[in-house]
Amino acid sequence: MSIRAATPDDAAAIARVHVDSWAATYAAVFPPKVFDEYPLSARERTWQRTTHAARTRPGHRIEVLVAERAGEILGFVSLGPFRAPAGVAVEATRGELNAIYLAPAHLRQGIGSALFVAGRHWLRSAGFSDMRLWVIEGNPAAHFYRAHGGVLVEEKDFELHGSSVAEQCFLFMLDD
């Protein structure tokens, strides 16, 4: 397995991993209509734009890394500056792990840990001092983040189709 920077050519495979993993992870958390709002074609366009920006816009400070084996994308991690709520000033050195997903067939093989570590290294090399990530309550990966040194620093709720969904923010310092 290798980890490398994603290119726009990877967008379809990234989107497939994203949709499959998201559905497997959150099937018991969200109503089915939520998944219909984010079809594969929309995810592919999003990852096409994101990977294109990461490759062509110097100083954009975003990255998508993929884990690959024999030409197959097994998972990915998306990174960049911390996305603070509108109107909230945030130091430019705060980073965020925006997404990390693995193809369901490749869970518990060390791929997630390898992507997580590579993401931390990328953020540190890009000048970020810490990394934050948001986890939806009910995501079984919350223990993974605690095991990797994450400290719960914030909780919030958001509304989705009339239901309140809880999210937790974990903080990781990047100076180690």
Side-chain angles (χ1 to χ4, degrees):
M1 179 193 67
S2 63
I3 295 178
R4 63 171 175 78
T7 70
D9 291 339
D10 298 316
I14 293 169
R16 171 54 55 203
V17 168
H18 195 176
V19 166
D20 291 350
S21 179
W22 211 71
T25 301
Y26 296 115
V29 177
F30 297 132
K33 61 185 169 183
V34 169
F35 301 102
D36 295 337
E37 292 177 359
Y38 302 102
L40 181 62
S41 59
R43 300 269 183 169
E44 186 173 345
R45 284 189 302 275
T46 296
W47 291 114
Q48 181 77 30
R49 284 189 307 270
T50 303
T51 55
H52 182 264
R55 302 284 67 83
T56 61
R57 293 174 54 191
H60 194 58
R61 296 182 77 202
I62 62 165
E63 185 59 274
V64 179
L65 303 172
V66 294
E68 180 181 49
R69 182 185 307 132
E72 179 186 6
I73 302 295
L74 311 173
F76 71 93
V77 62
S78 175
L79 311 139
F82 182 63
R83 298 169 295 169
V88 175
V90 174
E91 296 141 29
T93 60
R94 284 196 173 157
E96 183 173 351
L97 187 154
N98 303 314
I100 182 169
Y101 288 101
L102 301 177
H106 297 291
L107 298 174
R108 293 178 176 49
Q109 297 175 16
I111 298 164
S113 290
L115 282 166
F116 185 85
V117 168
R120 285 181 66 132
H121 287 300
W122 183 86
L123 284 167
R124 187 178 21 226
S125 70
F128 294 99
S129 62
D130 65 33
M131 175 179 80
R132 294 166 190 264
L133 63 88
W134 289 95
V135 180
I136 294 173
E137 190 173 286
N139 183 331
H143 76 280
F144 173 89
Y145 302 122
R146 286 186 185 94
H148 279 82
V151 176
L152 180 64
V153 293
E154 186 176 349
E155 294 181 288
K156 69 178 181 179
D157 294 333
F158 65 94
E159 188 175 314
L160 185 65
H161 292 285
S163 297
S164 181
V165 178
E167 243 182 341
Q168 299 175 319
C169 183
F170 287 90
L171 169 68
F172 303 82
M173 299 310 296
L174 299 178
D175 55 5
D176 55 323

